[in-house]
């Protein structure tokens, strides 16, 4: 069983929640909807990357990733 999140991680998540809610003008339903939409987008991106890797394609590296290397 994983260890419970440390206090700094919990604080980070609380701040992220506050920020997401604020970006949706305090509307919790809109906040949840936006998070679901973002999650679906990321799931689609992940599926596309996994398909590309399976097909032997390597995604192009971004300039930022190239600079970090």
């Amino acid at each position: 069983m994983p260890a419970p999140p440390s206090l700094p991680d919990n604080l980070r998540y609380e701040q992220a929640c506050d920020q997401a809610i604020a970006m949706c003008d305090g509307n919790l339903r809109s906040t949840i909807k936006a998070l679901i939409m973002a999650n679906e987008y990321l799931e689609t991106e992940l599926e596309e990357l996994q398909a590309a890797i399976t097909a032997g394609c390597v995604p192009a590296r971004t300039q930022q990733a190239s600079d970090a290397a």
Side-chain angles (χ1 to χ4, degrees), residues 17 20-22 24-35:
C17 287
I21 293 167
C24 292
D25 297 324
N27 185 317
L28 297 180
R29 185 174 182 85
S30 293
T31 303
I32 293 168
K33 185 177 177 180
L35 293 171

Side-chain angles (χ1 to χ4, degrees), residues 23-56:
M23 290 173 66
C24 292
D25 297 324
N27 185 317
L28 297 180
R29 185 174 182 85
S30 293
T31 303
I32 293 168
K33 185 177 177 180
L35 293 171
I36 291 169
M37 292 170 65
N39 192 56
E40 287 177 348
Y41 172 80
L42 291 172
E43 286 176 350
T44 301
E45 288 287 306
L46 179 59
E47 289 170 3
E48 290 174 1
L49 287 170
Q50 288 173 331
I53 290 169
T54 300

